[in-house]
Amino acid sequence: MSGELSLNINIKEPRWDQGTFMGRAQHFFMVTDPRNVLLSSETLEEARGIVENYRAGIVKPGLSEDELWKAKYVYDSAFHPDTGEKMFVIGRMSAQVPMNMTITGCMLTFYRTTPAVVFWQWVNQSFNAVVNYTNRSGDAPITVNQLSAAYVSATTGAVVTALSLKSLANRLPPIISRFVPFAAVAAANCINIPFMRQRELKYGIPVTDENGNRLGESPNAAKQAIIQVVVSRIGMAIPAMGNRNRFPILNAPVQVGLVGLCLVFATPLCCALFPQKSSMSLSGLEADLQERIRQSSPDTTTVYFNKGL
């Protein structure tokens, strides 16, 4: 072993117990920290080097355990857990707060006219499409045509939903119509996420045993993963969209500020509703995959998968 730090630290898993909500919350407060967006490419590459070298049994001289965990969370904030690729910056979960506070603030402020609803829903769903693709589960490539079709389907469906709800809101009392943006965002998430991750629903996502050994790909696991992500995303929108501003003169800045404050807490807490490394019973998989797993790994009763974010 080179260096003083023990090689027995398991940095493949989060630092905190993922079997508890508080442990997951601590983990996601680190992953979604907006300050990570400001890190330079050099800092990200340095963190990747520390993490990859440690996994290979090489320890940087003088590296402490806290420094190792810090590097691991910088790495996790910028690199995809399945592919290892550096993620597009606005698609990272650390960009959720600054991006969403701006977009959501504008959606809450400019919601009275049809062109405004169309424009901001398009902006929001375009951003969501980037996030959904960036944080997808699995390592299978997706073609440009598949990605384009998914984007058009997701954004079109979301905008149509928003316009339909706005039309309904015109016949509702003002206090109820105020929540049209939230209803539109919730419905749009139910459309956008499955469309942007439709390849997973068709071909499945990788499932492993408890030791990380890959057992196959399961569409059923993909369904569970996507449902969990949809629930988390809707949860993120509740506190921000529930905000009502009583000061029209300060409308835009106050809206954006309050949304940002809500999202600082809502983003990691809603991500923590479900473990990143999710699981399901072997009996919940497709029959043919169950049979293959029983033959290759007879002691396996539970499988695990990255649900995405």
Side-chain angles (χ1 to χ4, degrees):
M1 179 178 80
S2 61
E4 303 174 354
L5 190 65
S6 168
L7 286 172
N8 295 326
I9 301 170
N10 184 12
I11 61 171
K12 291 182 179 180
E13 301 293 337
R15 189 171 192 176
W16 296 278
D17 180 11
Q18 297 301 283
T20 68
F21 177 78
M22 287 305 299
R24 296 194 296 272
Q26 287 177 289
H27 167 70
F28 282 112
F29 266 108
M30 295 291 289
V31 171
T32 65
D33 187 339
R35 294 173 296 179
N36 290 337
V37 175
L38 303 176
L39 298 176
S40 66
S41 295
E42 291 75 15
T43 300
L44 297 179
E45 291 301 327
E46 180 183 6
R48 176 159 70 172
I50 291 173
V51 169
E52 291 181 347
N53 285 338
Y54 185 84
R55 289 173 176 171
I58 304 170
V59 181
K60 180 181 178 181
L63 184 71
S64 69
E65 183 174 347
D66 284 341
E67 289 172 336
L68 174 63
W69 281 112
K70 181 179 179 180
K72 180 247 188 324
Y73 275 101
V74 168
Y75 175 85
D76 284 353
S77 75
F79 296 90
H80 193 278
D82 292 329
T83 66
E85 298 174 350
K86 184 185 289 187
M87 296 183 286
F88 186 49
V89 63
I90 67 169
R92 300 172 192 168
M93 293 309 291
S94 53
Q96 283 286 293
V97 171
M99 291 298 297
N100 266 325
M101 68 182 287
T102 303
I103 295 172
T104 307
C106 290
M107 289 174 65
L108 285 167
T109 303
F110 307 109
Y111 69 98
R112 296 185 182 279
T113 66
T114 298
V117 171
V118 171
F119 177 75
W120 286 110
Q121 278 295 332
W122 172 76
V123 171
N124 184 50
Q125 293 310 316
S126 294
F127 168 65
N128 284 342
V130 172
V131 173
N132 294 334
Y133 173 73
T134 302
N135 294 280
R136 67 198 183 279
S137 176
D139 51 10
I142 183 171
T143 67
V144 174
N145 287 340
Q146 289 173 328
L147 186 58
S148 299
Y151 168 75
V152 171
S153 303
T155 53
T156 301
V159 170
V160 169
T161 301
L163 286 176
S164 300
L165 288 171
K166 182 180 183 300
S167 175
L168 175 63
N170 290 335
R171 300 188 293 273
L172 297 174
I175 192 171
I176 297 178
S177 65
R178 184 66 175 176
F179 291 92
V180 167
F182 168 70
V185 167
N189 272 317
C190 295
I191 296 170
N192 194 316
I193 295 172
F195 269 117
M196 290 305 298
R197 295 177 60 174
Q198 59 185 277
R199 192 185 190 286
E200 300 171 35
L201 292 170
K202 184 176 182 179
Y203 298 106
I205 58 176
V207 294
T208 68
D209 61 18
E210 60 182 352
N211 297 316
N213 298 310
R214 193 162 177 163
L215 302 172
E217 289 74 37
S218 169
N220 286 356
K223 292 175 186 176
Q224 178 173 309
I226 289 172
I227 289 171
Q228 291 177 348
V229 171
V230 167
V231 171
S232 294
R233 294 287 188 83
I234 292 174
M236 290 179 200
I238 290 175
M241 288 295 185
N243 157 52
R244 296 185 73 235
N245 189 349
R246 297 177 180 274
F247 305 100
I249 295 177
L250 301 176
N251 201 35
V254 172
Q255 292 280 26
V256 171
L258 289 176
V259 167
L261 181 63
C262 290
L263 287 171
V264 165
F265 297 97
T267 299
L269 292 177
C270 289
C271 282
L273 291 175
F274 307 98
Q276 174 76 53
K277 184 179 178 182
S278 197
S279 63
M280 67 187 303
S281 170
L282 179 65
S283 61
L285 301 178
E286 295 74 16
D288 58 333
L289 181 56
Q290 288 185 45
E291 185 60 30
R292 292 203 304 272
I293 293 175
R294 289 192 179 100
Q295 292 178 2
S296 63
S297 182
D299 295 330
T300 298
T301 57
T302 303
V303 297
Y304 301 87
F305 51 91
N306 168 31
K307 71 175 176 63
L309 289 173

